[in-house]
């Protein structure tokens, strides 16, 4: 938890809008560190096996911070949940696109991207439950999942255009949404314990189905 002396060094102790350095760490770094702590606390609570609704007090208790430090970075619990979701999506999309780019051939690229996604959500189940688990639902998370589905569908179509004869077309985008939605439901069932599969099995099934649907993406984007 932030010490009393640190608390005094922020807020009213700032001069001209600049936060005073404390203990060798400037004010901006302290704010960023506390924000990261709050995001991790939100991920811990949302992604727990019994995760559910979160509150400002609950997140602050998990983070070891007072509520004043919550409001220096977020204006509501919904803003924190959105930021947490966005950070996980950013990590997964960046790593998956890198794996896609490094793969050989269409199937190798798809396999690399899916294996990366499955590895990330398996190594940190909190991230997987936040993104996919049907046991974790709220208006904010539902909206972010719809947003991320649109993002990944667009990325799928964009990536496909680099290795297949595909152009941006509403029907091709619809097929990409079908791909992404199917993968999300498969991963949700796996994370929620409804599929008795190891990581490699999830990747194998996912790649097989994605490749089967890829023909539709290519046909509708021709």
């Amino acid at each position: 938890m932030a010490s009393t002396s640190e608390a005094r060094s922020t807020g009213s102790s700032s001069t001209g809008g600049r936060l005073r350095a404390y203990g060798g760490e400037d004010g901006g770094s302290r704010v960023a560190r506390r924000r990261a702590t709050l995001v991790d606390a939100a991920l811990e609570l949302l992604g727990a096996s019994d995760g559910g609704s979160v509150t400002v007090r609950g997140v602050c208790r998990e983070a070891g911070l007072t509520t004043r430090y919550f409001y220096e970075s977020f204006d509501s619990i919904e803003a924190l949940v959105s930021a947490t979701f966005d950070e996980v999506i950013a990590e997964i999309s960046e790593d998956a696109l890198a794996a896609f780019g490094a793969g050989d051939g269409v199937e190798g690229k798809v396999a690399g991207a899916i294996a990366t996604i499955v590895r990330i959500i398996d190594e940190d189940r909190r991230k997987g439950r936040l993104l996919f688990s049907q046991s974790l639902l709220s208006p904010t998370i539902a909206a972010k999942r719809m947003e991320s589905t649109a993002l990944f569908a667009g990325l799928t179509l964009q990536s496909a255009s680099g290795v297949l004869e595909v152009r941006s077309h509403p029907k091709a985008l619809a097929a990409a949404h079908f791909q992404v939605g199917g993968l999300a439901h498969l991963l949700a069932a796996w994370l929620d314990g409804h599929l008795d599969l190891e990581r490699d099995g999830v990747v194998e099934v996912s790649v097989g189905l994605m490749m089967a649907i890829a023909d539709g993406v290519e046909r509708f984007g021709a």
Side-chain angles (χ1 to χ4, degrees):
M1 181 180 292
S3 64
T4 303
S5 56
E6 180 183 2
R8 292 196 190 106
S9 72
T10 60
S12 61
S13 63
S14 60
T15 304
R18 298 179 61 187
L19 295 175
R20 182 182 304 169
Y22 177 86
E25 184 181 21
D26 65 49
S29 296
R30 291 200 312 277
V31 172
R33 172 170 52 80
R34 288 193 290 263
R35 183 185 186 282
T37 300
L38 288 165
V39 168
D40 191 66
L43 180 60
E44 183 66 27
L45 294 174
L46 289 165
S49 58
D50 59 347
S53 61
V54 294
T55 63
V56 171
R57 289 184 180 277
V59 167
C60 288
R61 185 165 51 248
E62 178 70 25
L65 296 170
T66 61
T67 55
R68 72 172 285 193
Y69 291 127
F70 178 94
Y71 289 108
E72 78 179 350
S73 293
F74 303 101
D75 58 14
S76 66
I77 195 66
E78 291 79 12
L80 172 59
V81 172
S82 292
T84 304
F85 196 101
D86 287 344
E87 291 201 14
V88 175
I89 283 292
E91 175 194 355
I92 288 180
S93 59
E94 181 179 351
D95 289 357
L97 284 173
F100 183 92
D104 294 324
V106 178
E107 187 165 349
K109 290 178 178 295
V110 171
I114 291 180
T116 297
I117 294 171
V118 174
R119 173 183 56 78
I120 291 173
I121 66 173
D122 190 32
E123 291 179 352
D124 190 341
R125 288 297 182 100
R126 302 176 307 169
K127 296 175 181 177
R129 282 189 284 266
L130 175 61
L131 299 187
F132 302 114
S133 178
Q134 294 304 300
S135 64
L136 179 60
L137 294 173
S138 75
T140 300
I141 290 175
K144 297 305 291 186
R145 286 178 178 174
M146 287 294 293
E147 182 182 308
S148 66
T149 296
L151 169 66
F152 277 110
L155 290 175
T156 296
L157 190 57
Q158 179 182 343
S159 300
S161 67
V163 293
L164 299 169
E165 293 297 324
V166 174
R167 61 185 175 87
S168 181
H169 187 281
K171 289 182 179 179
L173 184 58
H177 270 275
F178 191 86
Q179 276 188 317
V180 173
L183 177 62
H185 279 287
L186 189 158
L187 295 177
W190 181 55
L191 290 166
D192 287 341
H194 302 308
L195 296 175
D196 186 18
L197 289 173
E198 297 296 328
R199 184 194 297 182
D200 289 346
V202 173
V203 173
E204 180 183 358
V205 172
S206 299
V207 172
L209 293 173
M210 290 287 278
M211 290 306 300
I213 302 172
D215 292 339
V217 175
E218 186 172 18
R219 175 158 61 93
F220 290 121

